[in-house]
Amino acid sequence: MTSLTGIFIWIYFGGVRSEVADRNLCPEVCECEGHVLRCNRMVLNEPIPDSITEVLLTTSDNWWNTKMSHSFPHWSNVIKLDITHEYAAGDTIYFHFLNNSLRPLKQLQYLGIHGFGSRSASYIDYVLHAGCFTGLENVKTLNLSGNSHLEIYQVIEALKEVNTLPSLETIDLSEFQLLENVPIYRNEFSALVSVLKSRSIKTIIMDYTHMELPIAELRKLCQTLEKFSLRKTTIIAVYEFDHVTCESLKVLDLSEAAIVPYEDFISSRMLTSDTWFIEIFNTHFSFICGTETLYYNEVLPSKPRPLSFENGVVYNATGINWRVKYMYFRRNFMENFNVSFKNMPLIPGSEFDVSFNNIHYIHPKSLDPGHYIRKINLAHNRLHEMERNNPLDFKIFLHTFTDLEDINLAYNQISELSSGMFSKNTKLKEINVAGNRLKTLSIKTNLILSLQYLDAVDNNLEIIDLKEISEIYQRPFVEAILTNGANLIINITGNELKCTCEDTRVIEWIRDSPIVRGGRCVYEDEKLDIKRNAFKKITDYCKKKKFQQSLIIGVCISITLFYLSAICIALAVRYKKKQHLIVELLRQLKTNDEHFLAFVSYCSEDTDFVMSHLVNQLNEEICIKTKVRCDHICTGDRCFRPGFPVINEIMTKMENSAVIIFVISLEFCNKTWCHIEIKEAYELQKPIILIFREEVDLQDMPKLVEKLFHQNTRCKFERDIDGAWRLQPSFHVLASSVLELAAVNNKTGTSKNFVV
């Protein structure tokens, strides 16, 4: 009896243990990871471990009726069920979710059914039976996305009963009913809204669909609806949009949506300067601008023309239906925003994202007042054109946004940020100027106390003008904590600063400062990491360079002093030689009464002028310089011997004179004898000095005189203010020239043409 009892107990507990093991066993061709089960086939009629709460099924079965077995209550722990169908092209698919088929999933909160009815299937028999969702009282999210052949009427029939999915909050119908591009018509959309209105629907997603949109129908859901997404949706018609608002709606996503016919929409968005502006705006934009967050990215095309407001009109925006706090207006080809909206009813803490447009100008008071705006993203535009063409407006276009905390100007090819650009934005916490062409950064002290992050990545920084920040942070860092409790971070990664021996203190500060991130510098073509080895290497380089410079300077000074000394000695020797030559010349002149220092040639018409204003004065100046009182100047009137041929006397006196002086006038140029004298003097290769009594045109000069005029310097007579004749340069300079030329000619023993 005892043995039979033991056998019974062993069989009983063995069977229980086997059943427990089965319950904890992961189905074949499945993976169990914690609370998640992943399978590549349908396992709805198989047991799963008790710990599984999330089931992700992928099936390729073509014949299957979804019917849950009541013998496996362990599925009641599942909270999320997501089923995706995959099959080959040309498959014939018969797939049914029957009445009450999902009832055992008592705790289910998320149900996803995807991929049934691809365009590549040859035939599809796919039906959501009217009672297929019966019993799913806790489901909050129904995701039917990716069912291109599933028709909207099936969803409407499945949700027609009020008690079906009573807790439903989110419904996703993306990529829905795309068979042969049959749109979801307005009556179908209205019917869908009607079956949803009995539930507390918060989110409707209809991305990648083809539909008509009667906006007014959404009013039936506006007690609970918070998000409506139409990303990449083609809206072939919009109905009943006049002055429609949805009080509960917080997020409207129209990104990349195509609205047809577009001509009407374009006309509705054009701003006019007439008195109907408020009415037009509220009529066409009440629904769009009546939401808290608006995604309007990549909606407007570049053709037939990009969006541009160029008239400079100031619009009074009082009365506009505007509830947008977060505006995303990316990639819409907007170029010019030369308009201003005055009294715009902005929401405190508003954020505007207009990045990836083509904006090249913004009105300095685009939103006036703009003090409620917290964040503006202007990245990837063309603001460098505004910087170049409208520098004053570029400097102040952010001034109206006095509560601005975050500004993004990245990738605008900006070359310089004016020192006063952020002077009114005293609450700024983040500045992003990455990817521009900035060479310097200048931060005013009125920004330091609030600024937390400055992103200057990938610029052309050569000099960082951080003197004011540096002075603050050179104190103990405990004292340098910002008023908001956070340290300032400056990111200069991707820049190659120009390091020099003059800015080693800045490099040292960047190395030691906890507020600076990244940074490389280039010193003599070597790239150095500022945070690691730049300061040490530059310091060593600079010491070596300083020693080399000192050595070079010392050598240069020595060489310079040597050459200066040599030059001074040479000049002294030259001066002594010159003085010796002059003394020797004067000695020779004393021993021969027929030799003269200079011979003066002139025409007879200029005799009185020459004798009165030149000869005596020049002779007197020479006597003073030589300290020898005699006639040093030879003239024909005073020195020619009577009775001798004129030409012989001229040749004789020229040969016996060290320097020949010609007084040039218009009459002189017209005299044949004067031409002969010029030629004879030139052939004797005597030093020649030209003195112009008056202005003579080049075409009136003899060829030889013109040649000497271009070749050498000369003297001329001018009248001063009192009308007296004055030699330029002075007689003192002329006498010195005569003496030096005479000495050189006498020294060499050969005649040369020296003309001054």
Side-chain angles (χ1 to χ4, degrees), residues 435-584:
N436 283 291
R437 298 176 178 177
L438 300 176
K439 292 186 177 181
T440 61
L441 290 177
S442 179
I443 306 301
K444 287 294 184 180
T445 53
N446 66 332
L447 291 176
I448 294 175
L449 295 180
S450 62
L451 192 62
Q452 295 179 10
Y453 188 73
L454 173 60
D455 188 347
V457 171
D458 295 333
N459 275 276
N460 300 326
L461 297 180
E462 296 180 355
I463 302 172
I464 300 186
D465 184 10
L466 299 176
K467 183 178 180 182
E468 295 169 344
I469 298 178
S470 174
E471 290 175 352
I472 289 178
Y473 278 84
Q474 283 174 359
R475 296 178 295 172
F477 288 102
V478 177
E479 300 178 7
I481 300 299
L482 305 180
T483 56
N484 52 27
N487 282 320
L488 171 65
I489 300 299
I490 301 176
N491 193 343
I492 59 174
T493 304
N495 289 277
E496 293 185 353
L497 283 67
K498 182 180 179 181
C499 295
T500 64
C501 293
E502 288 74 24
D503 59 12
T504 54
R505 292 185 60 186
V506 177
I507 299 300
E508 182 181 20
W509 177 76
I510 294 175
R511 181 199 65 181
D512 299 336
S513 174
I515 76 172
V516 181
R517 298 289 183 271
R520 298 173 67 88
C521 69
V522 179
Y523 185 82
E524 294 186 351
D525 298 329
E526 182 178 358
K527 296 180 180 179
L528 306 173
D529 189 329
I530 296 179
K531 287 294 185 180
R532 295 179 58 189
N533 58 358
F535 179 74
K536 183 178 185 305
K537 283 196 172 184
I538 293 173
T539 302
D540 294 341
Y541 287 152
C542 292
K543 288 180 180 178
K544 182 179 179 180
K545 187 175 181 179
K546 187 176 181 180
F547 173 77
Q548 292 175 344
Q549 289 177 343
S550 299
L551 181 62
I552 292 172
I553 291 172
V555 172
C556 291
I557 291 175
S558 300
I559 294 174
T560 302
L561 290 176
F562 172 79
Y563 277 105
L564 287 175
S565 300
I567 291 172
C568 291
I569 294 172
L571 290 175
V573 171
R574 181 181 176 185
Y575 177 76
K576 288 184 178 180
K577 287 183 177 180
K578 187 185 294 184
Q579 291 300 112
H580 175 72
L581 291 175
I582 293 174
V583 171
E584 180 62 23

Side-chain angles (χ1 to χ4, degrees), residues 29 39-43 57-64 83-95 114-117 121:
V29 201
C39 294
N40 60 3
R41 66 178 179 86
M42 284 294 182
V43 292
L57 302 180
T58 301
T59 180
S60 58
D61 294 340
N62 295 336
W63 293 79
W64 190 76
I83 306 173
T84 302
H85 190 271
E86 295 179 351
Y87 48 85
D91 286 348
T92 300
I93 301 172
Y94 296 90
F95 201 95
H114 320 285
F116 297 96

Side-chain angles (χ1 to χ4, degrees), residues 262-276:
Y262 206 77
E263 291 76 9
D264 296 337
F265 185 75
I266 290 178
S267 64
S268 70
R269 69 179 169 85
M270 293 307 297
L271 298 179
T272 59
S273 58
D274 56 30
T275 56
W276 297 100

